[in-house]
Amino acid sequence: MRLHFERSGGFAGLLIKVTVDTADLPGDKKTGWKRALTEAGFFELPSNLAGETGPDSFVYELTAVTAEKEHAVRFSAGNVPEELRPLFRELTIMARQR
């Protein structure tokens, strides 16, 4: 599975993004990320959960691509499902490092 993650907005309005192929991850991390997506029902979520955001709010977009399907969802910071928050933290760190 390939994940493309973007975070925009915030005080400085910066865009950070990263694309990760889960095949390149260690087994425990790959399993944890797939479990987070499954537990959050990611592929069944509507494409826009961002709603209205304030001027300094973060907006996230996560796209997951598998051999069978592709799905993208936009989230405001307050609408990220609890199951996805650790994944978003890790992807944010990875995006900042690139």
Side-chain angles (χ1 to χ4, degrees):
M1 175 176 10
R2 225 176 43 250
L3 297 176
H4 179 73
F5 173 81
E6 292 185 7
R7 187 192 77 184
S8 59
F11 180 71
L14 298 177
L15 172 67
I16 61 171
K17 58 186 174 178
V18 66
T19 299
V20 178
D21 189 333
T22 59
D24 298 334
L25 298 174
D28 58 335
K29 186 171 287 207
K30 178 181 0 183
T31 302
W33 285 16
K34 287 181 179 180
R35 183 180 21 216
L37 292 168
T38 300
E39 289 177 0
F42 178 79
F43 287 99
E44 289 75 40
L45 292 174
S47 61
N48 190 351
L49 290 174
E52 292 190 31
T53 59
D56 295 333
S57 299
F58 287 121
V59 175
Y60 302 93
E61 183 165 331
L62 180 64
T63 303
V65 180
T66 70
E68 301 82 29
K69 55 190 164 192
E70 179 175 338
H71 187 60
V73 181
R74 287 176 50 88
F75 301 90
S76 61
N79 289 340
V80 175
E82 190 64 36
E83 299 88 353
L84 294 178
R85 290 178 189 266
L87 172 62
F88 277 36
R89 278 192 292 277
E90 288 186 62
L91 289 167
T92 298
I93 291 168
M94 293 173 85
R96 285 181 178 158
Q97 292 173 343
R98 295 186 183 196

